[in-house]
Amino acid sequence: MNIPFNKPFLTGRETHYIKEAVNSQKISGNGIFTKKCQHLFEHKYGIKKALLSTSCTDALEMAAILININEGDEVIMPSYTFVSTANAFVLRGAKIVFCDSRRDHPGIDETKIESLITLNTKAIVPVHYAGVACDMDQIMKLSKKYNLFVIEDAAQAIDSYFTFPDGTTKALGSIGHLATFSFHETKNIISGEGGLLAINDEQFIERAEIIWEKGTNRCAFFRGEINEYSWVDVGSSFLPSEITAAFLWAQLEKIDTIQNKRKNIWNTYETKLKGKSKEFRTAIIPSFAHNNSHMFYLLFENHITRQEVILRLKKKGILAIFHYIPLHSSPFFEKKYEGLPLPHCDLYSKNILRLPFFNSLKKQDQQKVINALLENN
Ligand SMILES: *Cc1c(COP(=O)(O)O)cnc(C)c1O
């Protein structure tokens, strides 16, 4: 492909910090670079406690352990999401209750959640698709009313915000009891593989550190709070090495530059494509949500046209992709699914197309993509 879908962006400092980590002789987890990355999340985004993890998938698994998901507990989430959102809870025996997407946006339809709540419901997992916020005001109200945990899947939502009806604005990932971020190489800020668990409800902080450190109280031991560390709970090896954290730090220290570049690319697509074709529309961003330029997608009016356009672009060496296969109709879940049809979810799955989007996308290449899309108009 002449124009790939994604290219990892490097700030140029990654190997410098990795070298520093290697030379410091401290290359296992929870060292200086890990702490720098965690502090940035806590201070810039108002998260109570941040813990780096080896992936967003891992952070979701930590969240499921932290809220004590047991066999038979129900967890409500959109069907239009990545498989990890569900798997983390399935691994603990939860029953997944899939909710439809909004009509105007692929995020969970907050008006459909309440009818899915039962006595067994334990948590709601909103996914901020494309970094665009779900209605966190309504979702947090439901969580209070029914005493449920909210875990934000903020994998795509770094540096994005939600504005409450009273005008207060909060970073995504700082609102739910827990939240998870991804630094997979397809996200805005990357470390190859990597993630972060955000803890906003203080009751979880101590136990989260224990689960993170293989079920031991090693964190408290390193802080000098106890004389020896031992096995005190379940846990696993969820922390990344300092090599990964050093790479991540090189990205995080340049987050504003990275975000500005992405915003320019997003705005160019939006200006040149919005309202310019009968075949598709651009994204609708609800007024309470901000845009972190995670991705640029088009919504086609039908599936056949989308498939034709994918081929048309491919012939010109341009890779545009679609996702997700709805989880409720996936090979793993289809037979287990007992809920209602989810028409909006199906619609997004059939008709979304994601355009090439990466920081080093050249102006003339972006124009080629735009020209190819508008060819038939
Ligand atoms: C990328 C992504 C994940 C998984 O992130 P990893 O870091 O690869 O585990 C989970 N949920 C959503 C919505 C994602 O986009």
Coordinates of all heavy atoms in Angstrom, one line a residue, residues 54-58 60 81-85 127-129 153-156 180-184 186-187 193-195 294 323-324, ligand 1:
T54 N 0.4 -3.6 31.1 CA 1.0 -4.1 29.9 C 0.1 -3.9 28.7 O 0.5 -4.0 27.6 CB 1.5 -5.6 30.0 OG1 0.4 -6.3 30.5 CG2 2.6 -5.7 30.9
S55 N -1.2 -3.7 29.0 CA -2.2 -3.4 27.9 C -3.4 -2.8 28.5 O -3.6 -2.9 29.7 CB -2.5 -4.6 27.1 OG -3.1 -5.6 27.9
C56 N -4.3 -2.3 27.7 CA -5.6 -1.9 28.1 C -6.4 -3.2 28.5 O -7.2 -3.2 29.5 CB -6.3 -1.1 27.1 SG -8.0 -0.6 27.5
T57 N -6.2 -4.2 27.8 CA -6.8 -5.5 28.1 C -6.5 -5.9 29.5 O -7.4 -6.3 30.3 CB -6.3 -6.6 27.1 OG1 -6.6 -6.1 25.8 CG2 -7.0 -7.9 27.4
D58 N -5.3 -5.8 29.9 CA -4.8 -6.2 31.3 C -5.5 -5.2 32.3 O -5.9 -5.7 33.4 CB -3.3 -6.0 31.4 CG -2.6 -7.4 31.3 OD1 -3.3 -8.4 31.1 OD2 -1.4 -7.4 31.4
L60 N -8.3 -3.8 32.0 CA -9.7 -4.2 32.2 C -9.8 -5.4 33.0 O -10.7 -5.5 33.9 CB -10.3 -4.5 30.8 CG -10.7 -3.2 29.9 CD1 -10.8 -3.6 28.5 CD2 -11.9 -2.6 30.4
T81 N -17.8 -2.8 20.1 CA -16.6 -2.5 20.8 C -15.6 -3.6 20.5 O -15.9 -4.6 19.9 CB -16.8 -2.4 22.3 OG1 -15.5 -2.0 22.9 CG2 -17.2 -3.6 23.0
F82 N -14.3 -3.3 21.0 CA -13.3 -4.3 20.8 C -13.5 -5.5 21.8 O -14.1 -5.3 22.9 CB -11.9 -3.7 21.1 CG -10.7 -4.5 20.8 CD1 -10.5 -5.0 19.5 CD2 -9.9 -4.9 21.8 CE1 -9.4 -5.8 19.3 CE2 -8.8 -5.7 21.6 CZ -8.5 -6.1 20.3
V83 N -13.1 -6.7 21.4 CA -13.3 -7.9 22.2 C -12.9 -7.8 23.7 O -13.5 -8.4 24.6 CB -12.8 -9.1 21.4 CG1 -11.3 -9.0 21.3 CG2 -13.2 -10.4 22.1
S84 N -11.8 -7.1 23.9 CA -11.3 -7.1 25.3 C -12.2 -6.5 26.3 O -12.2 -6.8 27.5 CB -10.0 -6.2 25.4 OG -9.0 -6.9 24.6
T85 N -13.1 -5.5 25.9 CA -14.0 -4.9 26.8 C -14.9 -6.0 27.4 O -15.1 -5.9 28.6 CB -15.0 -4.0 26.0 OG1 -14.2 -3.2 25.1 CG2 -15.7 -3.0 26.9
V127 N -17.9 2.7 26.5 CA -16.6 2.7 25.7 C -16.7 4.0 24.9 O -17.6 4.3 24.2 CB -16.6 1.5 24.7 CG1 -15.4 1.6 23.8 CG2 -16.7 0.2 25.4
H128 N -15.7 4.9 25.1 CA -15.6 6.2 24.4 C -15.1 6.0 23.0 O -13.9 6.2 22.8 CB -14.8 7.2 25.2 CG -15.2 7.3 26.6 ND1 -16.5 7.7 27.0 CD2 -14.6 7.2 27.8 CE1 -16.6 7.8 28.3 NE2 -15.4 7.5 28.8
Y129 N -16.0 5.6 22.1 CA -15.5 5.2 20.8 C -15.0 6.5 20.0 O -15.6 7.5 20.1 CB -16.7 4.7 20.0 CG -16.4 4.3 18.6 CD1 -15.7 3.1 18.3 CD2 -16.6 5.1 17.5 CE1 -15.3 2.7 17.0 CE2 -16.2 4.8 16.2 CZ -15.6 3.6 16.0 OH -15.2 3.2 14.7
D153 N -14.1 2.3 29.4 CA -13.1 1.8 28.5 C -12.7 3.0 27.7 O -13.3 3.4 26.7 CB -13.6 0.7 27.6 CG -12.6 0.2 26.6 OD1 -11.6 0.9 26.4 OD2 -12.8 -1.0 26.1
A154 N -11.6 3.6 28.2 CA -11.1 4.9 27.6 C -9.8 4.6 26.7 O -9.0 5.4 26.5 CB -10.7 5.9 28.6
A155 N -9.8 3.4 26.1 CA -8.7 2.9 25.3 C -8.3 3.9 24.3 O -7.2 4.2 24.0 CB -9.0 1.6 24.7
Q156 N -9.4 4.6 23.7 CA -9.2 5.5 22.5 C -9.3 6.9 23.0 O -9.2 7.8 22.2 CB -10.2 5.2 21.5 CG -10.3 3.8 21.0 CD -11.4 3.5 20.0 OE1 -12.1 4.4 19.6 NE2 -11.5 2.2 19.6
T180 N -9.8 2.6 31.9 CA -8.6 1.9 31.3 C -8.2 2.6 30.0 O -9.1 3.1 29.2 CB -8.9 0.5 31.0 OG1 -10.0 0.4 30.0 CG2 -9.4 -0.3 32.3
F181 N -6.9 2.8 29.8 CA -6.4 3.4 28.6 C -5.5 2.4 27.8 O -4.9 1.5 28.5 CB -5.5 4.6 29.0 CG -6.3 5.8 29.5 CD1 -6.5 5.9 30.8 CD2 -6.8 6.7 28.6 CE1 -7.3 7.0 31.3 CE2 -7.5 7.8 29.1 CZ -7.8 7.9 30.5
S182 N -5.3 2.6 26.6 CA -4.4 1.8 25.7 C -3.3 2.6 25.1 O -3.6 3.7 24.6 CB -5.2 1.1 24.7 OG -4.3 0.4 23.8
F183 N -2.1 2.0 25.0 CA -1.0 2.6 24.3 C -0.5 1.7 23.2 O 0.6 1.7 22.8 CB 0.2 3.0 25.3 CG -0.3 3.7 26.5 CD1 -0.1 3.2 27.8 CD2 -0.9 5.0 26.4 CE1 -0.5 3.9 28.9 CE2 -1.3 5.7 27.5 CZ -1.2 5.1 28.7
H184 N -1.5 0.9 22.7 CA -1.2 0.1 21.5 C -0.8 1.0 20.4 O -1.2 2.1 20.3 CB -2.5 -0.7 21.2 CG -2.3 -1.7 20.0 ND1 -2.6 -1.3 18.7 CD2 -1.8 -2.9 20.0 CE1 -2.3 -2.4 18.0 NE2 -1.8 -3.3 18.7
T186 N -1.7 1.6 17.6 CA -2.7 2.3 16.8 C -3.4 3.4 17.5 O -4.3 4.1 16.9 CB -3.8 1.2 16.4 OG1 -4.2 0.6 17.6 CG2 -3.3 0.2 15.4
K187 N -3.0 3.7 18.8 CA -3.7 4.7 19.5 C -2.9 6.1 19.4 O -1.8 6.1 18.8 CB -3.8 4.3 21.0 CG -4.5 2.9 21.2 CD -5.9 2.9 20.7 CE -6.8 1.8 21.3 NZ -6.7 0.5 20.7
E193 N 2.9 -2.1 22.9 CA 1.8 -2.6 23.7 C 1.9 -1.8 25.0 O 3.0 -1.5 25.5 CB 1.9 -4.1 24.0 CG 2.0 -5.0 22.7 CD 0.7 -5.3 22.0 OE1 -0.4 -4.9 22.6 OE2 0.7 -5.8 20.9
G194 N 0.8 -1.6 25.6 CA 0.8 -0.9 26.9 C -0.6 -0.3 27.3 O -1.4 -0.2 26.4
G195 N -0.8 -0.1 28.5 CA -2.1 0.4 29.0 C -1.9 1.0 30.4 O -0.8 1.2 30.9
H294 N -8.8 10.9 17.6 CA -8.2 9.5 17.6 C -8.3 8.9 16.3 O -7.4 8.2 15.8 CB -8.9 8.6 18.7 CG -8.5 7.2 18.5 ND1 -7.2 6.8 18.6 CD2 -9.2 6.1 18.2 CE1 -7.1 5.5 18.4 NE2 -8.3 5.0 18.2
H323 N -14.4 -1.9 11.2 CA -14.5 -2.7 12.4 C -15.9 -2.3 13.0 O -16.5 -1.4 12.5 CB -13.4 -2.5 13.3 CG -13.3 -1.2 14.0 ND1 -12.4 -0.8 14.8 CD2 -14.1 -0.1 13.8 CE1 -12.6 0.5 15.2 NE2 -13.6 0.9 14.6
Y324 N -16.4 -2.8 14.1 CA -16.1 -4.1 14.7 C -17.2 -5.1 14.2 O -18.3 -4.7 14.0 CB -16.2 -4.0 16.2 CG -15.3 -3.0 16.8 CD1 -15.8 -1.8 17.3 CD2 -13.9 -3.3 17.0 CE1 -15.0 -0.9 18.0 CE2 -13.1 -2.4 17.7 CZ -13.6 -1.2 18.1 OH -12.8 -0.3 18.8
Ligands
LIG1 C1 -7.5 -0.8 21.6 C2 -8.7 -1.1 22.4 C3 -8.6 -2.0 23.5 C4 -7.5 -2.9 23.8 O1 -6.3 -2.2 24.0 P1 -4.9 -3.1 24.2 O2 -4.0 -2.1 24.8 O3 -4.5 -3.5 22.8 O4 -5.2 -4.2 25.1 C5 -9.8 -2.2 24.3 N1 -10.9 -1.5 24.0 C6 -11.0 -0.6 23.0 C7 -12.2 0.2 22.8 C8 -9.9 -0.4 22.2 O5 -10.0 0.5 21.1

